[in-house]
Amino acid sequence: MLTGKQRSYLRGKGNSLDTVIQVGKEGISEALVAQVKETIEARELIKVRILDNSLYTAREAAEELAEACGAEVVQVIGSVCLLYKRNQEEPIYKLPN
């Protein structure tokens, strides 16, 4: 579970990130979940965009993806969400306490 200070730190880091995953009209499939898992393992923090033609709201998609990948939802703004999962071997981000 992330603290408020950690969420704030990750939100700051997420501002400069580009969207790497998009949820479209097909919704959240097994292939999309596999892609998110692979990407989040490599990057720790990813930005996901939920397109207008998706059947999900941004919050619903973020929660479902986070649960499927064992990640945490850092932030949801509009149609964009940030997901974080700490890399156990070599963490990229040093979170504040």
Side-chain angles (χ1 to χ4, degrees):
M1 191 71 164
L2 294 172
T3 65
K5 190 181 265 189
Q6 291 169 335
R7 282 185 196 283
S8 178
Y9 172 80
L10 290 171
R11 282 194 305 263
K13 295 294 182 184
N15 282 339
S16 62
L17 293 179
D18 291 328
T19 302
V20 292
I21 304 286
Q22 293 184 345
V23 178
K25 65 182 177 184
E26 273 82 49
I28 299 173
S29 63
E30 289 180 28
L32 181 69
V33 170
Q35 184 181 11
V36 170
K37 283 181 181 179
E38 182 181 314
T39 306
I40 207 165
E41 281 182 24
R43 298 181 180 214
E44 284 189 354
L45 183 66
I46 62 170
K47 191 179 278 189
V48 179
R49 179 173 303 281
I50 294 71
L51 301 177
D52 291 337
N53 62 356
S54 174
L55 300 175
Y56 293 90
T57 65
R59 175 63 63 184
E60 291 169 344
E63 295 292 337
E64 191 168 325
L65 285 172
E67 185 177 324
C69 299
E72 292 197 51
V73 178
V74 176
Q75 179 180 33
V76 177
I77 293 182
S79 63
V80 177
C81 63
L82 275 176
L83 300 178
Y84 173 76
K85 182 177 180 184
R86 185 172 187 265
N87 186 335
Q88 298 300 325
E89 292 142 20
E90 296 180 31
I92 297 170
Y93 299 101
K94 184 171 178 357
L95 298 179
N97 293 330

